[in-house]
Amino acid sequence: MRSILTFGRLCLRQSKPRALPGTQCRAFRTGLKRFDHASWTGRRTQGPKGGSGLLWAAAATLSPVAFVQLSEKDNEGTQQTAEGRMLEASREEIAKTLKDDDRGLSRLRHSVVLFLDVYIWEPICTGLRFLHLVCIFVPVLVTVPVIWIGTRDPKRDNERRGTLWWYWFLVRSMERSGATFIKLGQWAASRSDIFPNEMCDVMSQLHSNAPAHSMAATTATIRRAFDGREFADIFEEFDEKPLGVGAIAQVYKAKLQPDLAVPGDPDVPGEAGGFQNVMRNVDTLIKSTPQRVPSSFVAIKVLHPGVERLVRRDLRIMGFFASVLNYIPTIEWLSLPDEVEQFGEMMRLQLDLRIESANLSIFRKNFKSRTTGWFPYPYTSFTTRQVLVEEYAQGIPLSDFLENGAGVFQHDIADEGLDAFLHMLLIDNFVHADLHPGNMMVRFYHSAQPHLPFTKPKDEDPEIQPDVTDQVFARLRPFRESHDIKGWEAELLQIDREGFRPQLIFIDTGLVTELNAINRRNFLDLFKAVAEFDGYKAGHLMCERCRQPDAVIDEEIFALKMQHLVLGVKSRTFALGNMKIGDILNEVLSMVRQHHVRMEGDFVNVVISILLLEGIGRSLNPNVDLFSSALPILRQLGAQSGGGMLRQGDFSMLRVWAGLEARKFLQYSVEDVESCVKYDQLSPNV
C-alpha cells in the first residue's frame, strides 16, 4: 500500500498545472466580470454533504452563453484561443478550494478534508488505477520483440507482419483500458507526423466498447439539468435505447414537451421588409436556399458517471511516465510531456459539454448566411457540464453515400463539403477538428420559395410540415439494405428530378481547431512561401518555427526536399485537378517525421482535416479539384484582407488569386473547345 501511495503522489506532483502568466489570468478574470447576469445560471453544483465551507465547484455555474462570450473576445495578438479561454473557465469552476468566508474550526475541518482528498485519497486511487493498467499493458511490453519477426508486406508500408500484429494487440489493449486510452489511440491516429502510417491506420480503427451506463444514472443527470423537473414533465417521448455509446458519453433521442421546445429555428430570420426582403429573395433564387423545417426532436448527450475522475487519474499516470521517458535521448525530440499536456487539454474540452454547445452556437453564427452546411441548434438553457441538449440532426449518414455512391448528387455533396471546410479554415479560423463520415450527415430539402408582393403566401404551419429527409430515406432504405447500387442511383436520379437538394449537417463539435495569432502568422508565412513556389524557404520556415528547432535533423536536406516537392507541383499547374493533395501532404508528413520537425498540433489537425476531406470528396467525385473549390473562398479572403496585405507590399495572395483565375479560365476554354469539337459545333453539317 505504501508503494501505491508513493506512486500516486509522484503522479499528482507531475500533473500539477503550470502557472499561467499573471497578465493572462488578470485578463481572464476581467473578462468574466464584464459578463451580464444572463450569462450565469442559478444552478449550484452539489458537493458532499456537510461540505458547505469547501468550494467543490463555483456556486453559480457559467452558462453556455458565457462560454460564447468568452470565445468572442479578441485574442489581441496573443497565444490565446477561444477554446483555451473556455477550458480555463471550466477548470477554474471545478477547482477544489476553501471559501474565503470560512473561519475558525469550520475552516480547519474543511482544510483537513481537502488535504485528505488531494494528498491521500486521490494518490491511493491513482495507484490502484496504475496497477489495473499494469495488468493490461505488461503483456504489450513483453511482446515488443515480435515487431522484428515476419516478412515485410509491401502493401502495408513495408511493415513486418509481426509489427502489424503488435499494432493490433496494442489497439485491443487500449480498448480494454477505458475512455482515456481509447481517445489516446484515436488522437495518435491523427498524428502521422510522429507515428508510422500503418500504426495510425490501425489506431484509426479503434472503437469504444464501453458499456452503456444505467438509465437511472441518465435520469438523475438529466433532471439536474432541468432544475429537478420530473422526467415525464420534460419529455413527451424518450427512447431509452441509446443512439450511440462512446468512451465519454452516450446519446439519446427524445422529444421535448411543447412548453420546452423551441418553435422554429431562432437563427433563421423571420419576416422582413424592404431591402432585406429583396436580398433574401435574391439569395433564395441564386443559392437554392434550404427551406427550414424545425425539428421537434432533440439529441441528448450525457456524460458517463465518474468519467472525469477516471480521465484525471489516467492523465496523471501518463504525465508521470512521459516525464520519465523524456530522459531517453533517442525519443527526446517527441517531447512527450508536451504531447500529454496537449492530449489532456483535448480530453478536458470533451468533459464539459457546455463547450460543445458554445462551439455549435459559433458554427451556426458563421454559417448563418451560407447554404453549404448546417449545424444543430443547441438548447443552451438546458445544457450543463454533464448534459448537452441539441436539435436532433435528421439526416442520412454520409457513409451510406460513400458505400453506395452519391449518383447524381456526387458533385453537390463533394463540393459542399470542401466549400464548408475551406470557409472554416480560411475565413473563420474555426475548424471542426473531427471531420470524418460519422460526424457528417446529408439531409434533403425543397428550395425555399421567394416571397413576392404579388403572390399569396401559403398558409402553412411550419410545425406540421413533414421532414422530407425522412421521406427520402424511406425511399432509399430498401436499396441500401439489399445493396442494390443501380436501384439506389436510379432512385437518387428520381429524387433529383423532383426538386430535392442535398445539404451537409455537421455534428459532434466538441473539438475545434483555431490557430492563435502566432500560429496564424506562421501559417500565412508558409502559405506565402508555397504561393511563390519557394519550397526551400518553406522548408526553412517549418524548421525555424517548429516546437523544437534544435532537434531537427539535416535541416538543409529537409529544405531541399521541400523545394523538390513544390517544384513538382509547379510543373503541373494546369493539371492540379488530377493531383491528389492528400498524397502531397502525406509526403510532407513523412519528411517531417524523418527529420524530427515537431509541428504544432493545430497545424497537424488542419493537415489531417484536409486529408480526410479530400479523401471523402474523391470517394464521391473522383474528379474533385481542391484548388477550384478554394477559388471562391480566396476571392472572399482577398476582398476582406487583400487591401491590407497589398499596402504592406505583400503580393502573394494576388499571385495565387490571379494564377487560379487564369487556370480556371483556361480550363473552361479547353472544355468549351472540346465540347464544340465533340458535338460538331465548329463546322456543323448542313
Side-chain angles (χ1 to χ4, degrees), residues 134-147:
V134 164
C135 296
I136 295 175
F137 284 105
V138 162
V140 177
L141 297 176
V142 170
T143 55
V144 166
V146 174
I147 64 176

Side-chain angles (χ1 to χ4, degrees), residues 185-239:
Q186 294 171 348
W187 169 84
S190 68
R191 297 307 303 267
S192 51
D193 61 318
I194 300 176
F195 305 109
N197 289 331
E198 278 305 313
M199 182 177 180
C200 293
D201 289 342
V202 176
M203 288 288 184
S204 66
Q205 303 170 15
L206 187 62
H207 299 289
S208 170
N209 292 323
H213 62 253
S214 68
M215 187 61 198
T218 294
T219 302
T221 306
I222 292 177
R223 287 191 61 194
R224 284 197 298 270
F226 284 82
D227 295 325
R229 278 198 185 199
E230 292 295 330
F231 207 68
D233 296 334
I234 301 173
F235 302 107
E236 190 175 308
E237 301 175 20
F238 190 93
D239 188 355

Side-chain angles (χ1 to χ4, degrees), residues 113 144 186-187 245 285 336 393 412 445 482 584 589 593 686:
V113 172
V144 166
Q186 294 171 348
W187 169 84
V245 180
L285 291 171
L336 290 178
D412 293 338
Y445 64 89
S482 62
I584 299 173
L589 290 176
R593 188 169 59 248
V686 179

Side-chain angles (χ1 to χ4, degrees), residues 396-406 413 442 444 488 492 620:
I396 303 172
L398 183 63
S399 55
D400 286 354
F401 293 94
L402 295 176
E403 180 180 352
N404 302 300
I413 297 175
V442 179
F444 287 86
W488 170 278
L492 286 176
L620 295 169

Side-chain angles (χ1 to χ4, degrees), residues 280-523:
R280 188 185 307 168
N281 290 334
V282 171
D283 286 344
T284 300
L285 291 171
I286 295 177
K287 298 180 181 179
S288 182
T289 304
Q291 183 178 8
R292 307 296 185 195
V293 178
S295 174
S296 57
F297 287 90
V298 293
I300 301 179
K301 180 183 287 189
V302 183
L303 290 184
H304 294 313
V307 68
E308 198 275 336
R309 292 193 301 272
L310 179 65
V311 169
R312 182 176 67 240
R313 291 162 187 165
D314 286 345
L315 290 176
R316 288 172 181 166
I317 296 171
M318 289 181 187
F320 171 78
F321 281 102
S323 300
V324 172
L325 293 174
N326 200 49
Y327 288 104
I328 301 176
T330 55
I331 64 172
E332 185 180 0
W333 75 275
L334 292 175
S335 186
L336 290 178
D338 291 339
E339 294 300 330
V340 169
E341 183 178 355
Q342 183 181 356
F343 170 72
E345 288 184 2
M346 184 198 77
M347 289 295 297
R348 295 183 186 104
L349 285 168
Q350 297 179 81
L351 291 172
D352 192 338
L353 296 180
R354 295 169 301 178
I355 295 177
E356 182 171 347
S357 176
N359 290 341
L360 276 174
S361 298
I362 296 168
F363 277 122
R364 286 174 64 85
K365 177 182 176 182
N366 293 341
F367 279 79
K368 188 174 182 178
S369 60
R370 302 170 190 161
T371 62
T372 53
W374 195 245
F375 295 81
Y377 170 76
Y379 285 74
T380 55
S381 301
F382 310 130
T383 296
T384 64
R385 180 182 292 273
Q386 293 87 14
V387 177
L388 170 65
V389 183
E390 65 181 43
E391 174 190 6
Y392 180 73
Q394 193 71 27
I396 303 172
L398 183 63
S399 55
D400 286 354
F401 293 94
L402 295 176
E403 180 180 352
N404 302 300
V408 69
F409 296 115
Q410 63 178 6
H411 293 279
D412 293 338
I413 297 175
D415 292 344
E416 285 200 359
L418 290 175
D419 183 83
F421 169 73
L422 291 171
H423 266 100
M424 295 180 201
L425 175 62
L426 298 176
I427 303 297
D428 304 329
N429 188 26
F430 200 78
V431 184
H432 193 308
D434 197 12
L435 287 174
H436 60 78
N439 286 339
M440 289 183 279
M441 309 181 79
V442 179
R443 81 179 188 99
F444 287 86
Y445 64 89
H446 280 300
S447 298
Q449 298 298 318
H451 299 285
L452 301 177
F454 50 83
T455 58
K456 183 179 179 180
K458 294 183 179 180
D459 187 16
E460 293 181 352
D461 182 1
E463 293 293 334
I464 62 174
Q465 293 181 40
D467 193 321
V468 297
T469 299
D470 275 344
Q471 300 174 7
V472 172
F473 191 37
R475 294 167 58 176
L476 292 173
R477 186 182 293 114
F479 303 105
R480 186 193 67 169
E481 293 175 352
S482 62
H483 302 286
D484 183 359
I485 296 180
K486 290 185 177 180
W488 170 278
E489 293 183 347
E491 190 64 30
L492 286 176
L493 181 59
Q494 181 61 32
I495 290 169
D496 176 57
R497 289 171 179 168
E498 295 174 10
F500 292 96
R501 308 307 308 156
Q503 184 185 41
L504 286 177
I505 300 178
F506 298 92
I507 60 175
D508 198 5
T509 60
L511 294 175
V512 300
T513 297
E514 180 187 5
L515 299 180
N516 59 33
I518 296 175
N519 288 343
R520 182 78 169 174
R521 185 170 62 249
N522 291 341
F523 176 79

